[in-house]
Amino acid sequence: MELNERKLKILEAIISNYLDTAEPVGSRTISKNYDLGISPATIRNEMSDLEELGFIMQPHTSAGRIPSDKGYRLYVDMILSAKYDSPKHLSYVEALLSKAGRIETLLQDIVAVLAKETNLTAIVSTPQYSKCKIKNIQLIELESQKVLAVIVTDGNMANNYVLEINEDMDQPMLNKLSFILNNQLHGLDVEEINLPLIEKIKAFAGNQDEIIGKVLEVVFQAVHNNEDTQIYTSGAINMLRLPEFSDLEKATSIMETLDKKDYIRQLLLNDFDGESIVTDGVNIKIGSENNNENMKDCSLITTTYHIGGKPLGVIGLIGPKRMDYQSAIFSLKCLIKEIEKRMNDS
Amino acid sequence: MELNERKLKILEAIISNYLDTAEPVGSRTISKNYDLGISPATIRNEMSDLEELGFIMQPHTSAGRIPSDKGYRLYVDMILSAKYDSPKHLSYVEALLSKAGRIETLLQDIVAVLAKETNLTAIVSTPQYSKCKIKNIQLIELESQKVLAVIVTDGNMANNYVLEINEDMDQPMLNKLSFILNNQLHGLDVEEINLPLIEKIKAFAGNQDEIIGKVLEVVFQAVHNNEDTQIYTSGAINMLRLPEFSDLEKATSIMETLDKKDYIRQLLLNDFDGESIVTDGVNIKIGSENNNENMKDCSLITTTYHIGGKPLGVIGLIGPKRMDYQSAIFSLKCLIKEIEKRMNDS
DNA sequence: TGTTAGCACTCCACACAAATGAGTGCTAAC
DNA sequence: GTTAGCACTCATTTGTGTGGAGTGCTAACA
């Protein structure tokens, strides 16, 4: 059996109607509301075929049809392959973002805006720290035997670490050490800090090798402990208002899932390994494609953002499978443009 | 009518039973399960009196009784005035906290632990920045015409600000400026940075007065823009599992409330103005005492933590009115002890 | 005078049946 | 190939009855 023109039109009508109403769509509804010029009976025959082809399904015998994951996939692929409006410039976003100095604050603001605009759950990972270039390291005196290390990388990401050391240091001394550290590390990727390098740099520090070693070990460990990327989310409660989660059990379950940062991290960073298909920069996983029971009613839209030409972070949206993909993708594209502009404007 | 010994015992029995079951408590239950040596009929008479006195109420004519806010208040006041076990030392908490260097991370870990331990929603405000003493200011070179200002205060709180300036600066120059800033500001409260002081310090900086002014103005504005305190929460989803929120409408409403950081901030920081009664350091607001429709089914337990002897932040728990106050208060006290130890260990 | 057993009454919660209605598949006619 | 008509299915809604938990009141009792 072929998926001819008419079948496709009916499928589109079903999906479009279902996106609006969250109710199974019957033949009569389509005949009335979509100008296809065929009667409900004919539509019923075609629907029967579409079901056999796996694009739609019936919740129960005497109900209308809802799209299957395969149906959504076809629909989404059509959207992705269509020509887009180029992302429009969002001046209010720019205004918002121009206030934020630090990248963490920036990203938190971004997800808040994105969640508000789409009414979905927005998620973002901070740039993969290990792949960032070191811009500057500065040691700051805190108190007796405590020092703050500030490490600034690409995109002006600043990470702070409190170090305990065995002797007192004043700021001029720390400035000298900072100078040594910068000389050795400036321009390196964070992940290039490894044990041999640490030993080598300690040699330069003479009798101040303890503190130098501490700084580098802390960074080394942070990178290897998956404190590498933080996850920020916003708008999880948007899910509670959706009819698909009107059952408390389901609502609780999705909220718990969205609350698990480690799980979300893994979901987001799939984008980085070879498994998933990236189309036009935007990657969509529908329901069961997420390979996870908790996400089977949800879709995930992700895209990467680049710093210095490298894809270092992922930003995405989680919503019901029944979300408005078109506008979600569009919002995401517009925002990513603003982000990258801000992050690379040097 | 008097609240005699027997009435009080019955009230305690009602509350205790209701805390366990979340079901209205009947006279027969009390007669059977609590060894008061009186019959259901007598208890009914007493309950009728307790209702007239406003300590309990009936959801409907033929139901058992539930505590009113006034009843809870009496019960909580009894708990608060009773002698406590002194907070026990939680070695696992100490282990957890010893890892965290920055106060923000520390506080985030704290609320996570607290929420997990109590199964409630834990909230904390970061120390009131404006009241903190400045320990150190350091300027760090970022890129052409961009500088990172790191300001460290009491409790080793580090705040980072990205500044745009009109000329290039190298790190040695920035170190000199940092030195000037430290000389002028070390030991001052953040809120003491005001416009006259800024002018005064700019004079010291000679032709570098632009950047010095920028730093101080950014701090000045941050303090006056209520970016003063951040709020961290954890465990909001714990509320979803409670019978009092088994209605989706209520569940959604409470989740939305807990999601509003500004609202929670205001709720927490009430502790700082004269309005609320602080008993033994722990402050409890029950249901309608919170003066807010969304919180009418919840209680809030708060306490302040001190840095350098000053109360600079608030940590608290939000749960149903029917929560286990005794153990919630205890958990809070234990944790606050660990926090203050960590923050003041210099 | 306080306590208690007995009883009528109230009202929620739950189960079950009936009615409703949206939607289908099939058949026969066009 | 298309469509009207019809019997059938099944989730949802509505109505009804029953059980049970709990009360308040009254009268008897210590």
Side-chain angles (χ1 to χ4, degrees):
Chain A
M1 199 178 342
E2 274 298 291
L3 185 65
N4 59 26
E5 181 82 8
R6 191 168 74 178
K7 283 189 175 55
L8 195 61
K9 274 201 174 134
I10 292 174
L11 179 61
E12 273 188 276
I14 293 171
I15 295 180
S16 152
N17 197 276
Y18 185 69
L19 295 193
D20 275 359
T21 64
E23 296 289 330
V25 187
S27 54
R28 198 148 168 277
T29 312
I30 293 182
S31 175
K32 261 195 305 187
N33 301 342
Y34 297 81
D35 204 16
L36 301 178
I38 41 180
S39 75
T42 311
I43 293 174
R44 278 205 289 283
N45 289 332
E46 296 287 44
M47 279 168 122
S48 183
D49 290 352
L50 281 170
E51 183 159 8
E52 205 176 316
L53 288 166
F55 292 112
I56 54 178
M57 52 204 265
Q58 270 183 305
H60 58 85
T61 328
S62 67
R65 303 307 210 290
I66 61 174
S68 67
D69 285 6
K70 188 178 170 191
Y72 277 122
R73 172 49 64 196
L74 189 72
Y75 175 78
V76 163
D77 285 346
M78 287 193 302
I79 290 181
L80 287 176
S81 64
K83 262 274 155 279
Y84 272 104
D85 300 339
S86 62
K88 84 175 165 239
H89 176 67
L90 307 169
S91 56
Y92 78 97
V93 173
E94 190 182 20
L96 172 82
L97 302 188
S98 69
K99 280 192 300 184
R102 297 176 60 209
I103 201 168
E104 290 86 349
T105 327
L106 173 71
L107 291 176
Q108 282 170 39
D109 288 346
I110 292 271
V111 282
V113 169
L114 193 54
K116 199 164 180 186
E117 188 159 301
T118 58
N119 266 309
L120 303 171
T121 304
I123 46 184
V124 68
S125 72
T126 54
Q128 221 174 3
Y129 189 43
S130 57
K131 299 273 197 297
C132 286
K133 281 210 190 320
I134 295 171
K135 247 180 171 172
N136 201 334
I137 296 187
Q138 188 72 32
L139 302 176
I140 302 179
E141 183 186 4
L142 285 180
E143 63 201 40
S144 164
Q145 312 210 341
K146 276 199 175 175
V147 168
L148 181 77
V150 180
I151 302 182
V152 183
T153 57
D154 280 341
N156 296 337
M157 251 209 318
N159 273 290
N160 300 4
Y161 305 94
V162 176
L163 310 175
E164 304 209 22
I165 53 173
N166 288 326
E167 56 184 311
D168 292 357
M169 297 248 172
D170 61 5
Q171 190 63 50
M173 187 65 213
L174 291 173
N175 286 346
K176 266 185 229 161
L177 292 177
S178 303
F179 186 76
I180 296 177
L181 281 168
N182 274 306
N183 264 350
Q184 296 294 320
L185 297 174
H186 182 89
L188 288 189
D189 287 355
V190 172
E191 66 184 348
E192 290 182 73
I193 298 178
N194 53 28
L195 297 176
L197 182 70
I198 293 176
E199 285 311 314
K200 186 187 138 210
I201 294 176
K202 276 166 88 170
F204 277 90
N207 54 358
Q208 305 303 340
D209 60 338
E210 184 210 345
I211 179 167
I212 295 273
K214 272 266 169 67
V215 176
L216 298 175
E217 275 154 27
V218 164
V219 177
F220 179 74
Q221 260 159 35
V223 172
H224 287 80
N225 279 350
N226 240 355
E227 294 162 30
D228 202 9
T229 48
Q230 296 274 78
I231 302 289
Y232 302 127
T233 68
S234 179
I237 41 168
N238 288 336
M239 309 296 264
L240 288 177
R241 293 282 183 212
L242 297 170
E244 25 272 278
F245 302 107
S246 64
D247 169 34
L248 189 73
E249 188 49 47
K250 276 190 187 157
T252 307
S253 159
I254 189 70
M255 292 303 281
E256 281 176 349
T257 302
L258 294 176
D259 200 51
K260 285 186 198 132
K261 289 284 158 74
D262 285 337
Y263 174 70
I264 299 291
R265 172 181 293 119
Q266 184 214 317
L267 211 59
L268 266 188
L269 299 186
N270 270 343
D271 219 19
F272 275 143
D273 58 39
E275 279 187 33
S276 53
I277 310 141
V278 178
T279 315
D280 192 15
V282 175
N283 183 22
I284 301 185
K285 292 212 172 174
I286 297 160
S288 53
E289 294 173 10
N290 287 296
N291 284 322
N292 186 291
E293 180 63 16
N294 294 324
M295 289 286 290
K296 73 179 198 307
D297 295 322
C298 294
S299 286
L300 171 69
I301 307 182
T302 53
T303 187
T304 54
Y305 60 80
H306 297 69
I307 298 179
K310 281 180 293 185
L312 290 187
V314 184
I315 182 164
L317 287 165
I318 294 178
K321 289 196 285 195
R322 192 184 55 80
M323 73 169 115
D324 181 346
Y325 292 92
Q326 188 103 44
S327 83
I329 295 170
F330 187 67
S331 296
L332 203 53
K333 283 195 174 180
C334 293
L335 263 183
I336 209 106
K337 201 178 142 197
E338 300 290 340
I339 300 177
E340 295 193 335
K341 198 167 109 199
R342 290 279 310 161
M343 286 184 185
N344 296 295
D345 68 347
S346 49
Chain B
M1 198 177 347
E2 274 298 290
L3 185 65
N4 59 28
E5 180 82 7
R6 192 169 72 181
K7 282 190 176 56
L8 194 63
K9 275 202 174 131
I10 292 175
L11 179 59
E12 274 187 275
I14 292 172
I15 295 180
S16 153
N17 197 275
Y18 186 68
L19 295 193
D20 275 359
T21 64
E23 296 289 330
V25 186
S27 53
R28 196 145 171 280
T29 312
I30 293 182
S31 175
K32 261 196 303 187
N33 300 343
Y34 298 81
D35 204 17
L36 300 179
I38 41 180
S39 74
T42 310
I43 292 174
R44 276 206 289 285
N45 289 332
E46 296 286 44
M47 280 167 120
S48 183
D49 290 352
L50 281 170
E51 184 160 8
E52 205 176 312
L53 288 165
F55 293 112
I56 54 177
M57 52 203 266
Q58 269 182 306
H60 57 86
T61 329
S62 68
R65 302 308 211 289
I66 61 173
S68 67
D69 285 7
K70 188 178 168 189
Y72 278 122
R73 170 48 64 197
L74 190 71
Y75 175 78
V76 164
D77 285 345
M78 286 193 303
I79 289 181
L80 288 176
S81 64
K83 263 273 155 281
Y84 273 103
D85 301 338
S86 61
K88 85 177 164 237
H89 176 68
L90 307 170
S91 56
Y92 80 95
V93 173
E94 191 181 20
L96 172 82
L97 301 188
S98 69
K99 281 191 299 185
R102 298 176 60 210
I103 201 169
E104 289 85 352
T105 327
L106 174 70
L107 291 176
Q108 282 170 38
D109 289 346
I110 292 270
V111 282
V113 169
L114 193 53
K116 199 164 181 187
E117 188 159 301
T118 58
N119 265 309
L120 302 170
T121 304
I123 46 183
V124 69
S125 72
T126 53
Q128 219 174 5
Y129 189 44
S130 56
K131 300 272 196 297
C132 286
K133 281 207 190 321
I134 295 171
K135 247 179 170 171
N136 202 334
I137 297 188
Q138 189 70 33
L139 302 176
I140 302 179
E141 184 185 3
L142 285 180
E143 61 201 40
S144 164
Q145 312 209 340
K146 277 200 176 176
V147 168
L148 181 76
V150 180
I151 302 182
V152 184
T153 56
D154 280 340
N156 297 336
M157 251 209 317
N159 274 290
N160 301 4
Y161 305 94
V162 176
L163 310 175
E164 305 209 20
I165 54 175
N166 287 326
E167 55 185 311
D168 293 358
M169 296 250 171
D170 60 6
Q171 190 63 50
M173 187 65 211
L174 291 173
N175 286 346
K176 265 185 227 162
L177 293 176
S178 302
F179 186 76
I180 296 176
L181 282 167
N182 275 306
N183 264 351
Q184 297 293 321
L185 298 174
H186 183 89
L188 288 189
D189 287 355
V190 173
E191 66 184 348
E192 291 181 74
I193 299 177
N194 52 29
L195 297 175
L197 182 71
I198 293 177
E199 284 312 313
K200 186 188 136 208
I201 294 175
K202 275 166 88 170
F204 278 89
N207 54 358
Q208 305 302 340
D209 62 337
E210 184 211 345
I211 179 167
I212 295 274
K214 271 267 169 68
V215 176
L216 298 176
E217 275 153 29
V218 164
V219 177
F220 179 75
Q221 260 159 36
V223 173
H224 288 81
N225 278 352
N226 241 354
E227 294 162 30
D228 201 9
T229 49
Q230 296 272 79
I231 301 290
Y232 303 127
T233 68
S234 178
I237 40 169
N238 287 336
M239 308 297 264
L240 288 178
R241 294 282 183 211
L242 296 171
E244 24 272 277
F245 302 107
S246 63
D247 169 34
L248 188 72
E249 188 47 48
K250 276 191 186 157
T252 307
S253 159
I254 190 69
M255 292 303 282
E256 282 176 349
T257 303
L258 294 176
D259 201 51
K260 284 185 198 135
K261 288 284 159 71
D262 286 336
Y263 174 70
I264 299 290
R265 172 182 292 120
Q266 184 214 317
L267 211 60
L268 265 189
L269 298 185
N270 270 342
D271 219 21
F272 275 143
D273 57 39
E275 278 187 35
S276 52
I277 309 142
V278 178
T279 316
D280 192 15
V282 176
N283 183 23
I284 301 186
K285 292 213 171 175
I286 298 160
S288 53
E289 294 174 8
N290 287 296
N291 284 322
N292 186 290
E293 181 63 16
N294 295 324
M295 288 286 290
K296 74 178 198 305
D297 295 321
C298 294
S299 285
L300 171 69
I301 306 183
T302 52
T303 187
T304 54
Y305 60 80
H306 296 70
I307 298 179
K310 282 179 293 185
L312 289 186
V314 183
I315 181 163
L317 287 164
I318 295 178
K321 290 195 285 195
R322 193 182 55 80
M323 73 168 114
D324 181 346
Y325 292 92
Q326 188 102 44
S327 82
I329 295 170
F330 187 67
S331 296
L332 203 52
K333 284 194 172 180
C334 293
L335 263 183
I336 211 107
K337 202 179 142 196
E338 300 289 341
I339 300 176
E340 295 193 335
K341 199 168 110 200
R342 291 279 310 161
M343 286 184 185
N344 295 297
D345 69 348
S346 48

